[in-house]
Amino acid sequence: SGDVPEVGYRISGVHLQCQLMASSGSIIVNFGFHNSSIYLRLSVAPMATADPNLKLPLGKVTLVKCSVDAQLSYLDFGGTSPLAYPLKNFREEIIETVHKDAGPMACRRMEPMVAEHATKVLAALAVDMEPYFLHDDDQEPMLPTPTRK
C-alpha cells in the first residue's frame, strides 16, 4: 500500500494436540487441530538512512491481513465433572463453532502481539545495521573486516 513495503507469510499443515485438565470434579478436554493454516500480511514502515534515496524496511510493523483456518480434527471430554457428559453431547456444535469463530478470534488476539514483537525485532536489527546504513555522510561506514584463518 503506497510506499510502505508489505510481506506475506503462509504457514500451513499446522498440527496441535492438547489435553486440558481441571481439578474439583475434574474435566479432561482432548483436542487437536490438523492441516490448519495461518496467513499473515505485514506492512513495514520505511526507515530513513543517511542516503535520502535509500529507505530500509525496519520501522513500525502493522498486521494488514490475517487469516486463520483452524481445522479442529478431534474433540473429546472426560473426567468426573458433571459437565463432561453434556459437553460430549454438544461436541459437533462445538467443533462447528470453532471452525467458524476460531480464525477471526485468533487474528484479533494475534494482531497486537505480532505487530509489537515484529517491530521490536526490526528495531534491534536497525541498531545492528546503524553503522552500515544509518550513519552521517561525514562518517565513513564501519564495514566488516574480512578475516582469514
Side-chain angles (χ1 to χ4, degrees):
S1 59
D3 292 341
V4 180
E6 292 185 1
V7 62
Y9 297 97
R10 183 173 307 280
I11 303 165
S12 59
V14 176
H15 302 279
L16 172 69
Q17 294 180 324
C18 291
Q19 183 178 62
L20 305 175
M21 302 166 94
S23 59
S24 66
S26 71
I27 184 165
I28 300 169
V29 182
N30 290 302
F31 64 95
F33 290 90
H34 185 73
N35 285 334
S36 297
S37 64
I38 301 168
Y39 174 74
L40 304 172
R41 190 170 81 223
L42 308 169
S43 70
V44 184
M47 179 177 278
T49 65
D51 179 350
N53 297 316
L54 177 64
K55 297 200 184 318
L56 299 176
L58 296 174
K60 183 179 180 195
V61 175
T62 304
L63 184 60
V64 175
K65 181 168 175 51
C66 176
S67 154
V68 174
D69 180 16
Q71 294 299 313
L72 186 60
S73 56
Y74 67 90
L75 175 67
D76 195 23
F77 300 94
T80 59
S81 169
L83 289 175
Y85 183 74
L87 286 171
K88 274 187 178 191
N89 289 335
F90 288 107
R91 192 176 85 73
E92 293 304 317
E93 289 83 358
I94 294 169
I95 289 173
E96 184 179 313
T97 301
V98 168
H99 286 172
K100 184 179 77 170
D101 297 333
M105 182 180 67
C107 285
R108 281 191 307 274
R109 306 280 278 169
M110 277 194 300
E111 181 177 1
M113 180 184 67
V114 167
E116 177 185 341
H117 289 295
T119 298
K120 284 180 181 178
V121 167
L122 292 179
L125 183 59
V127 169
D128 292 342
M129 295 183 75
E130 192 274 333
Y132 308 109
F133 295 104
L134 307 175
H135 63 280
D136 293 331
D137 285 336
D138 297 338
Q139 277 183 292
E140 284 295 316
M142 295 172 48
L143 297 175
T145 306
T147 61
R148 286 189 176 188
K149 288 190 176 190

